[in-house]
């Protein structure tokens, strides 16, 4: 085995980069690889690759999700890499992963309230219903954190003392399932969605506890470590320097989470400026997940991210294998640069 294989995967703050992670330096190349892989997946399994907008079920007022927390199936390959799964959570009726012999099956049930009326009546409102990307990321991270995988994407010991800030949180699912593993979780979206997020946080974290797989599992699930706050990227971008500080969380983010927020060209500039403003060089990890829809929108976002700052300040890594489906996942890290 080579010296490189003996070394543990590198980390960027709370995020552990898998050995399969690749640096992104050219938006056109990254987009070509992503959509070529998506087309190959379509040819191999007969799926369409694309599935419309990507919401779970916009006709239901409440969705019940059951997450399997048992040990995920491993791929053959380098030990320590995050792994994918065959059957992500969809609802309480989905197929359960088969547990290993003598291993108890553990599940977590979450109820998410949707505002289906707002989806149809409020212009530009997409966050009032639940989307596939949030569900699939939730299950992938939960399985890793509950089974204590040595190669988990998020490093548990660092995460336990971390402040997570989520942008464009929609229904608040990720806050519900990930907050018990962090010290503080700030969940944000536009003002209109704040009541819905608060309702889902209260509905889930005041009822059934998150199962702990071992003594050093997640903290007791209470609302005390979750802050729900409005954060409008456009307002932040247009605000004066003095006002900006009043619009964002006072505590710096250790992990900035952006899931399925890249879908409309007009939102790309304010999203990028918000990411730039909230990221502390040498401190904040950025985790972005996007469902692959319009190729030009994904390209525009990546190109804008690469152009945010001087050469060498931003590292962007492409992460594959953690989520099964038409997704891209990137980890960003802003280096401290002498000026």
């Amino acid at each position: 085995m080579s010296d490189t294989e003996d070394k543990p995967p590198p980390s960027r703050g709370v995020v552990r980069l898998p050995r399969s992670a690749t640096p992104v330096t050219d938006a056109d190349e990254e987009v070509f690889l992503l959509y070529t892989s998506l087309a190959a997946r379509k040819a191999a399994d007969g799926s369409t690759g694309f599935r419309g907008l990507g919401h779970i079920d916009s006709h239901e007022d409440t969705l019940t999700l059951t997450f399997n927390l048992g040990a995920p199936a491993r791929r053959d390959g380098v030990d320590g890499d995050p792994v994918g799964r065959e059957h992500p959570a969809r609802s309480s009726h989905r197929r359960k992963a088969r547990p290993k012999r003598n291993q108890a099956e553990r599940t977590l049930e979450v109820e998410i309230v949707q505002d289906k009326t707002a989806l149809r009546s409020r212009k530009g409102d997409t966050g009032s219903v639940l989307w596939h990307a949030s569900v699939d990321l939730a299950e992938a991270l939960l399985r890793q954190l509950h089974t204590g995988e040595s190669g988990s994407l998020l490093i548990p010991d660092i995460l336990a003392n971390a402040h997570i800030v989520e942008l464009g949180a929609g229904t608040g699912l990720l806050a519900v399932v990930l907050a018990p593993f962090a010290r503080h979780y700030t969940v944000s979206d536009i003002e209109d969605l704040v009541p819905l997020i608060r309702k889902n946080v209260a509905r889930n974290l005041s009822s059934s506890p998150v199962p702990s797989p071992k003594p050093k599992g997640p903290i007791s699930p209470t609302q005390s470590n979750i802050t729900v706050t409005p954060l409008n990227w456009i307002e932040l971008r247009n605000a004066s320097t003095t006002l900006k500080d009043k619009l964002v969380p006072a505590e710096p983010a250790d992990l900035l989470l952006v899931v399925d927020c890249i879908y409309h060209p007009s939102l790309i500039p304010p999203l990028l400026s918000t990411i730039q403003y909230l990221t502390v060089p040498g401190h904040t990890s950025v985790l972005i997940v996007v469902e692959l829809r319009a190729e030009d929108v994904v390209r525009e976002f990546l190109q804008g991210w690469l152009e945010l700052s001087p050469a060498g300040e931003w590292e962007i890594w492409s992460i594959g294998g953690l989520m099964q489906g038409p997704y891209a996942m990137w980890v960003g890290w802003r280096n401290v640069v002498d000026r």
Side-chain angles (χ1 to χ4, degrees):
M1 183 177 289
S2 68
D3 292 339
T4 302
E5 292 174 323
D6 285 334
K7 295 179 181 179
S11 62
R12 296 295 183 271
V14 71
V15 176
R16 177 189 289 109
L17 294 175
R19 291 190 177 95
S20 58
T22 56
V24 177
T25 58
D26 184 282
D28 288 328
E29 179 183 20
E30 173 70 359
V31 168
F32 173 78
L33 293 173
L34 287 171
Y35 283 87
T36 299
S37 176
L38 185 63
R41 175 174 174 266
K42 172 183 176 182
D45 62 16
S47 68
T48 61
F50 299 95
R51 55 187 178 194
L53 291 177
H55 50 67
I56 300 291
D57 186 343
S58 63
H59 301 289
E60 296 294 330
D61 292 315
T62 304
L63 296 177
T64 300
L65 305 170
T66 301
F67 295 99
N68 286 331
L69 306 177
R74 289 188 174 275
R75 300 172 301 176
D76 293 332
V78 180
D79 190 22
D81 276 359
V83 296
R85 304 164 330 285
E86 291 300 322
H87 304 289
R90 283 292 177 266
S91 72
S92 58
H93 301 293
R94 70 187 181 84
R95 185 194 295 186
K96 300 292 189 296
R98 182 175 298 172
K100 292 182 179 179
R101 183 176 298 177
N102 299 326
Q103 182 181 26
E105 178 78 6
R106 294 168 298 173
T107 61
L108 170 66
E109 186 171 282
V110 177
E111 286 190 353
I112 295 295
V113 177
Q114 303 188 116
D115 187 350
K116 60 185 184 183
T117 302
L119 177 67
R120 293 166 174 79
S121 62
R122 202 158 52 210
K123 184 178 180 180
D125 186 332
T126 57
S128 55
V129 296
L130 189 60
W131 297 78
H132 285 291
S134 294
V135 176
D136 290 350
L137 179 63
E139 175 144 337
L141 295 179
L142 278 173
R143 290 171 76 89
Q144 288 191 337
L145 291 169
H146 274 278
T147 57
E149 286 188 25
S150 60
S152 62
L153 184 69
L154 302 182
I155 304 172
D157 290 343
I158 300 178
L159 182 64
N161 295 303
H163 176 210
I164 301 175
V165 175
E166 183 182 356
L167 303 180
T171 60
L173 169 67
L174 290 169
V176 168
V177 300
L178 294 182
F181 295 92
R183 176 179 54 80
H184 185 198
Y185 198 114
T186 297
V187 53
S188 71
D189 211 311
I190 58 174
E191 181 80 48
D192 288 336
L193 287 173
V194 167
L196 180 63
I197 297 173
R198 286 182 175 146
K199 180 184 293 187
N200 281 320
V201 168
R203 187 184 189 95
N204 289 279
L205 298 191
S206 62
S207 54
S208 58
V210 174
S212 175
K214 52 185 179 179
K216 293 184 179 180
I219 63 172
S220 299
T222 67
Q223 296 183 48
S224 62
N225 75 325
I226 296 181
T227 300
V228 183
T229 185
L231 180 55
N232 186 306
W233 314 332
I234 297 174
E235 289 181 5
L236 181 64
R237 186 183 187 217
N238 296 332
S240 64
T241 302
T242 303
L243 183 57
K244 284 182 189 293
D245 289 339
K246 298 178 181 179
L247 296 176
V248 301
E251 181 187 2
D254 298 294
L255 175 63
L256 188 62
L257 190 58
V258 184
V259 179
D260 212 8
C261 294
I262 303 164
Y263 54 88
H264 198 288
S266 66
L267 293 177
I268 291 176
L271 174 57
L272 286 170
S273 63
T274 300
I275 292 172
Q276 180 81 350
Y277 191 77
L278 292 177
T279 303
V280 179
H283 179 84
T284 305
S285 308
V286 180
L287 178 59
I288 295 180
V289 174
V290 58
E291 181 161 347
L292 298 174
R293 300 184 185 93
E295 184 175 334
D296 57 337
V297 176
V298 175
R299 181 184 292 103
E300 183 178 344
F301 173 80
L302 267 181
Q303 188 61 44
W305 196 6
L306 289 167
E307 294 174 353
L308 269 181
S309 29
E313 183 169 346
W314 272 101
E315 295 178 18
I316 302 172
W317 297 81
S318 182
I319 310 297
L322 181 63
M323 298 170 64
Q324 297 297 317
Y327 302 115
M329 177 183 289
W330 302 298
V331 169
W333 180 259
R334 194 174 165 196
N335 292 304
V336 178
V337 176
D338 295 331
R339 300 186 183 279

